[in-house]
Amino acid sequence: METLTIRWDVLLIILGAAVVTFIPRVLPLMLLSRIELPHWAVRWLHYVPIAVMAALIGQALFVREDPWTLENHIEWLAAIPTFLIAIRTRSLLWTVIAGVAAVMLLRGSLALLPG
């Protein structure tokens, strides 16, 4: 039976990476939960997830160097129903779910096409 050994240097690197990842995520939450933000800051923070999502989607849709083919630009087709669901529901969760489902369905449909 082979025994599992853990190297101390690898363990320390993993623990250090966990601490470095944990602190910047938890520290702002701890600080912001103790203070009351002004109304303008709460309104501004409300739009951050949408702005981040728009930047990610815009980069994926508009910054492409590969030649235009249906297989290379399936995201354009998936963006249409996703955009409509985003307008209809105004929910980031449902928009992401619709986008992922649209890409999956379109890629699955293209895989079934001959050629």
Side-chain angles (χ1 to χ4, degrees), residues 31-44:
L31 291 175
L32 291 176
S33 67
R34 296 179 189 270
I35 60 174
E36 186 168 333
L37 294 173
H39 181 67
W40 63 266
V42 173
R43 279 189 47 208
W44 182 78

Side-chain angles (χ1 to χ4, degrees), residues 68-85:
W68 207 100
T69 62
L70 189 58
E71 294 86 16
N72 289 344
H73 291 79
I74 200 114
E75 292 85 7
W76 274 94
L77 291 176
I80 296 168
T82 305
F83 183 70
L84 294 174
I85 288 177

Side-chain angles (χ1 to χ4, degrees), residues 45-97:
L45 288 172
H46 178 73
Y47 293 108
V48 168
I50 301 299
V52 169
M53 182 62 70
L56 291 173
I57 291 171
Q59 188 269 338
L61 289 178
F62 299 114
V63 182
R64 305 290 297 254
E65 294 182 6
D66 46 353
W68 207 100
T69 62
L70 189 58
E71 294 86 16
N72 289 344
H73 291 79
I74 200 114
E75 292 85 7
W76 274 94
L77 291 176
I80 296 168
T82 305
F83 183 70
L84 294 174
I85 288 177
I87 290 173
R88 173 99 171 132
T89 64
R90 298 192 180 275
S91 165
L92 184 59
L93 176 65
W94 285 113
T95 303
V96 170
I97 290 172

Side-chain angles (χ1 to χ4, degrees), residues 71-72 74-75 101-113:
E71 294 86 16
N72 289 344
I74 200 114
E75 292 85 7
V103 169
M104 287 175 55
L105 288 172
L106 288 168
R107 285 188 180 162
S109 299
L110 283 178
L112 296 176
L113 291 177

Side-chain angles (χ1 to χ4, degrees), residues 1-8 10-11 14:
M1 181 174 195
E2 191 172 322
T3 60
L4 181 65
T5 60
I6 299 175
R7 290 180 24 202
W8 282 104
V10 173
L11 181 64
I14 291 172

